[in-house]
């Protein structure tokens, strides 16, 4: 995980010459929930890494697919082996930009729009979402939620369990960023 954080930092550091613009979250939380008539599916990872460059408003998230924890071990196995194919696609990433002209060096609550690309299961798709950023005493707290269609990322669901697996997943993200 430390190596991936270094890679994330380098990617954004190259965009900005001033390191004081770089904010890092080493334990961002990503959870998802999907409901079907058969059963609810939910998982959470508190091991995502994220970086925001407050000058350019670029951001990146990266999470290991195997870091998601499920209430049932069998769900976790199926998620990694059958659906996400985590051996082949070990990480999911989001690269984007806050499109609103906000000054994240000033304390305040900012409701912003983020445009970017989400890479899940080796398929990159553009997304736009609303997020709330709270800047207070040099820390940035971020929260967002959005929906992901499983089919958009070519995640195959066998017909035998099609009714048990939701076609749209609710994703929730929260992160606390500290200055580098």
């Amino acid at each position: 995980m430390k190596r991936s954080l270094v890679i994330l930092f380098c990617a954004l550091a190259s965009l900005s010459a001033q390191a004081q613009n770089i904010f890092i979250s080493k334990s961002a939380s990503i959870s998802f929930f999907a409901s079907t008539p058969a059963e609810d599916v939910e998982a959470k990872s508190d091991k995502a890494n994220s970086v925001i460059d407050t000058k350019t408003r670029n951001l990146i998230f990266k999470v290991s697919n195997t870091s998601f924890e499920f209430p049932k071990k069998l769900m976790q196995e199926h998620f990694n082996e059958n659906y996400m194919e985590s051996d082949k696609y070990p990480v999911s990433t989001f690269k984007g930009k806050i499109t609103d002209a906000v000054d994240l060096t000033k304390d305040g609550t900012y409701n912003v729009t983020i445009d970017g690309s989400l890479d899940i299961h080796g398929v990159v798709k553009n997304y736009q979402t609303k997020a709330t950023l709270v800047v207070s005493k040099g820390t940035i707290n971020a929260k967002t939620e959005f929906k992901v269609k499983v089919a958009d990322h070519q995640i195959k669901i066998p017909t035998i369990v099609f009714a048990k697996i939701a076609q749209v997943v609710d994703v929730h993200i929260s992160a606390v960023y500290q200055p580098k």
Side-chain angles (χ1 to χ4, degrees), residues 61-132:
F61 273 87
K62 187 173 190 176
V63 64
S64 168
N65 292 327
T66 58
S67 70
F68 285 96
E69 296 180 7
F70 291 72
K72 297 179 182 177
K73 270 296 198 207
L74 188 58
M75 281 184 180
Q76 193 162 332
E77 287 177 30
H78 287 168
F79 173 79
N80 285 301
E81 293 173 10
N82 303 335
Y83 305 119
M84 291 301 286
E85 300 176 274
S86 295
D87 288 342
K88 189 175 180 181
Y89 309 105
V91 296
S92 294
T93 58
F94 178 84
K95 296 176 185 176
K97 183 175 182 100
I98 300 165
T99 61
D100 304 280
V102 295
D103 184 353
L104 297 177
T105 63
K106 295 182 180 177
D107 285 1
T109 299
Y110 304 95
N111 294 310
V112 298
T113 300
I114 299 173
D115 281 330
S117 58
L118 180 62
D119 182 346
I120 297 176
H121 196 249
V123 177
V124 179
K125 181 168 173 31
N126 291 330
Y127 282 81
Q128 182 179 78
T129 187
K130 299 289 185 184
T132 300

Side-chain angles (χ1 to χ4, degrees), residues 114 129-134 141-145 172-175 177:
I114 299 173
T129 187
K130 299 289 185 184
T132 300
L133 307 176
V134 178
N141 287 281
K143 290 187 187 274
T144 188
E145 58 185 67
H172 297 264
I173 298 175
S174 63
Y177 295 88

Side-chain angles (χ1 to χ4, degrees), residues 10-73:
C10 290
L12 284 177
S14 67
L15 299 173
S16 175
Q18 299 179 8
Q20 67 263 23
N21 297 324
I22 305 299
F23 282 70
I24 298 172
S25 178
K26 297 179 184 177
S27 57
S29 174
I30 301 176
S31 63
F32 61 84
F33 177 82
S35 183
T36 67
E39 100 186 289
D40 292 340
V41 177
E42 59 186 317
K44 183 177 184 178
S45 174
D46 290 322
K47 297 178 180 173
N49 293 310
S50 182
V51 178
I52 294 178
D53 181 324
T54 58
K55 185 175 182 180
T56 64
R57 298 186 313 277
N58 288 315
L59 59 95
I60 187 168
F61 273 87
K62 187 173 190 176
V63 64
S64 168
N65 292 327
T66 58
S67 70
F68 285 96
E69 296 180 7
F70 291 72
K72 297 179 182 177
K73 270 296 198 207

